[in-house]
Amino acid sequence: MGTTQLESVPEPKYWHLKTVLNDALDSEFEVGEILPNERDLAARFGVARATLRQALEQLELEGRLQRRRGVGTTVAPPRMGVSVGPSANTWPGAGIDAWETVGCVEAAAPAAIAALLGTAPDQAVHTIRRVRVMRGQPVAAELLYVPPASVPGLPGDLTPATHAPAVLRELHTLELEGEDRSVELGSARADDAKQLDRLPGAPVLVVTARYYAAGRVAAASVSTYRADTCRLTFGDAGAFEVTHHQQDTRQAS
């Protein structure tokens, strides 16, 4: 990686540095290779470490780099296309489902979710935690919120092992009338970061879904996807790609 001084560059230094680093990733590094440490990189390019961190964070956001626990900053593989489009009117956990259930508790939902569900802020709802794995690595963590009113026929002798399956079975007896989704950029919370093998605060894509039955929101989910490895798509083939990525550039180099 050659030396480039940035003092006379009119655009923000970190943005120009990001471009220089991006070119170097294509020409000088292999997928999975560890970058030099921040001190060496900052000295090589004649910038402050704060400027370097801004450039690295932007490259991580764009999916070019990954920050791995106990390893350092590595060159990321091409992003995987992950479909998050409407599921042909099927409930979560029904039919062919890419998610694995890892637990279920009864607890008050966050205020924003309680507002979506129309429940009281302190009302306990069934909260199912699920994880999505692709190519042997976790790419998303999900919390599915189901209010008691949506599953009134639950048995009273639930155990940790039977709780989630019972909630899903009862939910599937309802006629799903429709669903909608929204996506936004966020930062990984500590519990999601641990499940996704990321550092807290790492960039993620958050997909919020609402499921309708009997004229109301019967369930809601918040799915947290790794922004460094996922390219979210909606709909069928040729779907709209939500995230910017550099896959074509890397494959052509």
Side-chain angles (χ1 to χ4, degrees):
M1 190 184 298
T3 301
T4 302
Q5 296 296 326
L6 307 174
E7 293 299 330
S8 61
V9 178
E11 64 185 344
K13 289 183 181 179
Y14 86 90
W15 194 261
H16 182 71
L17 177 60
K18 185 212 72 164
T19 303
V20 173
L21 288 170
N22 192 59
D23 291 342
L25 295 179
D26 286 328
S27 61
E28 301 180 31
F29 290 86
E30 299 293 334
V31 170
E33 188 170 348
I34 302 174
L35 264 62
N37 62 48
E38 288 186 359
R39 178 177 298 176
D40 290 345
L41 284 176
R44 181 171 297 177
F45 290 100
V47 298
R49 292 177 68 175
T51 301
L52 176 67
R53 290 193 188 102
Q54 284 182 292
L56 294 177
E57 288 171 358
Q58 185 63 35
L59 287 170
E60 182 183 15
L61 181 62
E62 294 178 6
R64 299 306 317 270
L65 298 176
Q66 293 179 346
R67 299 190 183 192
R68 301 171 56 191
R69 295 174 183 270
V71 176
T73 301
T74 63
V75 181
R79 281 175 168 160
M80 296 177 284
V82 181
S83 175
V84 294
S87 52
N89 277 344
T90 57
W91 290 104
I96 299 175
D97 190 278
W99 297 86
E100 175 186 348
T101 299
V102 296
C104 184
V105 298
E106 282 191 83
I113 298 299
L116 290 180
L117 296 173
T119 59
D122 58 348
Q123 180 182 350
V125 301
H126 303 283
T127 306
I128 300 174
R129 177 171 284 277
R130 308 200 300 165
V131 64
R132 187 169 184 176
V133 177
M134 296 182 66
R135 300 178 188 174
Q137 69 174 359
V139 297
E142 180 182 80
L143 291 174
L144 174 65
Y145 301 93
V146 183
S150 296
V151 287
L154 284 180
D157 56 349
L158 295 175
T159 68
T162 63
H163 192 170
V167 171
L168 291 174
R169 280 196 304 269
E170 185 71 11
L171 188 64
H172 297 166
T173 65
L174 301 177
E175 180 180 355
L176 180 61
E177 297 174 345
E179 56 185 286
D180 59 41
R181 298 167 189 267
S182 63
V183 61
E184 60 184 333
L185 181 65
S187 299
R189 301 176 307 170
D191 52 348
D192 290 329
K194 182 178 181 180
Q195 195 155 27
L196 297 176
D197 191 27
R198 305 296 293 135
L199 296 174
V204 293
L205 295 162
V206 181
V207 178
T208 302
R210 295 183 293 181
Y211 301 90
Y212 296 89
R216 60 180 176 81
V217 178
S221 66
V222 178
S223 307
T224 302
Y225 289 82
R226 289 178 55 158
D228 62 326
T229 59
C230 294
R231 185 181 71 251
L232 302 190
T233 63
F234 288 79
D236 300 323
F240 171 68
E241 295 181 356
V242 176
T243 61
H244 299 291
H245 64 292
Q246 305 292 333
Q247 184 172 358
D248 294 340
T249 301
R250 277 175 278 181
Q251 290 177 338
S253 61

